[in-house]
Structure formats: structure tokens, C-alpha cells
Amino acid sequence: MKEFLAMGGYGFFVWGSYAVTFALIALEVVLLARRHKRASGKGS
Amino acid sequence: MNGKTAAVKWFWYASPQTFYPLAGTIARWCAPAAAVLAVIGLYIGFFVAPTDAQQGEAYRIIFIHVPAAWMSMFLYVVMAFWAAMGLAFNTRLSGMMASALAPTGALFTFIALWTGALWGRPTWGTYWVWDARLTSELILLFLYFGFMALKASIDDPRRADRAGAVLAIVGVVNVPIIYYSVQWWNTLHQGASVSLTRAPSMATTMLTGMLVMALAFWLYSIAAAMVRVRCIIVERESWA
């Protein structure tokens, strides 16, 4: 596990890439869900 | 069905009101499919694909970097296509589609730049260099931002659609510049590892992981754009 996280010494670069990608996509999903909820609330 | 009724059917879907439920159905199928493919792609990327002989584990950034870069360019072309359709046929939905694609396109452009920087540091020794590939990709990010800012600055949505369309269409020249930059100029960025005309210069499992992730990003982009276009339809149209 520790070895996996270390990524052969490149852990900062590999996980830094994946963490930011995941965080930004998650942020877009949350923002879209909120906007969609607001929009469909307006419809009813 | 003859050609005329087929055309009528397409224009029927060009109405926001009729497209609204279809967009919801497409999003409901694409979103879970994207999640499943992302899990498979990451599993291949981290547990099946071997360590790279030259770059060690640092190369594993490829599984998000390349698909994100592809999406950044592809989404811009699709956005410009809808913008052009809006100018040509004056259909309301076209401008909405262009608006719905822009934020997701900007997201993937940023991800491509960010992961590229974190990949460049261990392999090239620098986070950033002003070479043709990196600079033109940065310009793509500014084109997305410019498109969104321009549309947001005009109150009348139909006028905003037309102004945004002109910007989107002019900016599309940047996409082939990004794609061919590694051939036209002497760049620090490497040439294409995958092309349609020759065998890919990478291990099969690496390529498979990358293509599965690309498919996941595709389906995610479709789902995000469909949900966003539904929001835009409700926000703009009075029937909702």
C-alpha cells in the first residue's frame, strides 16, 4: 500500500494530477446538480 | 420514411421543449456508464498496465492527461459546430447547446494543462515552457473563458448566442494549431503516440487503459452537457 502511494517517488505528481482532476469533476457535478434542482423547482 | 419527413423529425428535436426529455434520458444513460468505465480504466491504468521503462510510475498521468486533452479540443469543435448551426438556421437550441458545452470544455482544458505541468516537472524538469503545444492549449482555455464571459455580458440570450457564435467559430482555427503544433514547430512536447495512420508506440495495456478513460470522459461530457442544457432550457424558456 505504502509502495503504491509512493508511485516510485513520483507520488506528488501522479496523485497531484488525479486529486485535482477528481476534485474539479466532483465540483462540476455538485454545481450542475444544484443548478438543475433550482431550475426544475422553477418549473413546477 | 422519405427525406422530407426525416428532416422534419430532426427539426422537431431542434425545439428546446421537445429536446428537454430526450436530454434527460441521454444523461441518465451516459452518467452511470461514464462512472463504470472510469473505474475500469483506472483499474487497468494502475494495476494492469506495467511500469514504463523510461519514466517509471510518472507516466501513469497519461490516463487522464491524454483523454482530457482530446476532450478539450473535441468539445471546442462540437461547440463551434452548434454555434455555426445557430447562425445558419437560427434555431434556439443550437446556442443553448454551445453554452452547455463550454464549461465542461474549459474544465478538460484546465485538467490537460494541470496534469501536463505535473507530468512535465519529473520528465522535462519544468512545470511550464512556452512551446507551441502548451501555448496553443492555454489559448484554448482563454477562448472558452472568453466565450463564456462574452455570453454572460449580453442580456438578450439570442444576441448573446450570435455574438458567442462568431467568437467560437473564429477560435476554431486554434484546434488544428494545437493538434499539429508538435509537427509544425520544434516543441518540447512529444509528438502523437496514437494516430490513425500507424501502430501506436505504446504497450497494449497502456493504450487500452487510455482509451477506456477517453470513453469515460466522452460519456461524462455528454451527460454534463445534457444536464446543463436542460438547466439552460428551463432558465430561458417561459413554458417551463
Side-chain angles (χ1 to χ4, degrees):
Chain A
M1 186 64 187
K2 207 172 172 185
E3 197 184 338
F4 180 74
L5 289 178
M7 276 289 137
Y10 297 114
F12 170 75
F13 304 103
V14 174
W15 300 122
S17 296
Y18 279 86
V20 169
T21 301
F22 182 79
L24 286 175
I25 291 176
L27 179 71
E28 192 189 27
V29 169
V30 169
L31 289 176
L32 268 176
R34 276 168 55 179
R35 187 175 173 185
H36 196 255
K37 205 176 165 189
R38 221 176 23 242
S40 46
K42 181 192 153 193
S44 60
Chain B
M1 183 189 284
N2 65 33
K4 195 179 172 191
T5 53
V8 167
K9 194 156 170 60
W10 278 109
F11 276 104
W12 190 70
Y13 274 122
S15 149
Q17 195 170 349
T18 48
F19 187 69
Y20 185 84
L22 177 65
T25 309
I26 295 170
R28 267 192 297 279
W29 283 97
C30 289
V36 169
L37 282 172
V39 170
I40 297 170
L42 290 176
Y43 177 78
I44 297 171
F46 280 102
F47 299 107
V48 181
T51 304
D52 187 72
Q54 285 168 6
Q55 297 188 16
E57 308 295 347
Y59 95 92
R60 293 191 196 275
I61 295 170
I62 201 172
F63 299 112
I64 40 177
H65 176 74
V66 173
W70 282 345
M71 286 318 297
S72 72
M73 292 187 282
F74 181 73
L75 288 174
Y76 193 92
V77 173
V78 178
M79 185 179 92
F81 166 80
W82 283 114
M85 293 294 276
L87 280 186
F89 299 108
N90 206 25
T91 41
R92 293 199 308 282
L93 185 63
S94 309
M96 297 177 182
M97 284 297 295
S99 292
L101 288 159
T104 305
L107 172 77
F108 281 120
T109 310
F110 182 83
I111 289 172
L113 289 166
W114 176 268
T115 56
L118 283 175
W119 199 1
R121 181 67 198 175
T123 49
W124 300 340
T126 178
Y127 286 108
W128 183 262
V129 56
W130 292 99
D131 88 351
R133 173 53 73 80
L134 279 66
T135 307
S136 53
E137 183 75 11
L138 184 65
I139 291 171
L140 184 71
L141 184 65
F142 293 154
L143 281 169
Y144 277 120
F145 285 160
F147 177 83
M148 290 189 280
L150 179 63
K151 279 204 151 183
S153 69
I154 301 172
D155 283 330
D156 175 14
R158 304 283 280 145
R159 280 191 59 214
D161 282 347
R162 281 193 292 275
V166 173
L167 176 70
I169 292 164
V170 171
V172 85
V173 291
N174 189 47
V175 172
I177 293 177
I178 299 171
Y179 190 78
Y180 291 109
S181 58
V182 287
Q183 294 173 27
W184 292 345
W185 291 282
N186 189 8
T187 53
L188 189 55
H189 195 285
Q190 66 177 78
S193 302
V194 181
S195 92
L196 294 174
T197 48
R198 56 186 166 73
S201 54
M202 60 200 299
T204 315
T205 45
M206 293 181 186
L207 181 68
T208 309
M210 203 171 88
L211 293 179
V212 172
M213 286 304 285
L215 201 55
F217 279 16
W218 256 69
L219 291 167
Y220 170 78
S221 302
I222 294 171
M226 288 298 132
V227 173
R228 193 176 286 109
V229 84
R230 276 163 69 91
C231 298
I232 295 170
I233 289 170
V234 175
E235 286 157 8
R236 278 203 205 171
E237 303 272 309
S238 53
W239 57 265

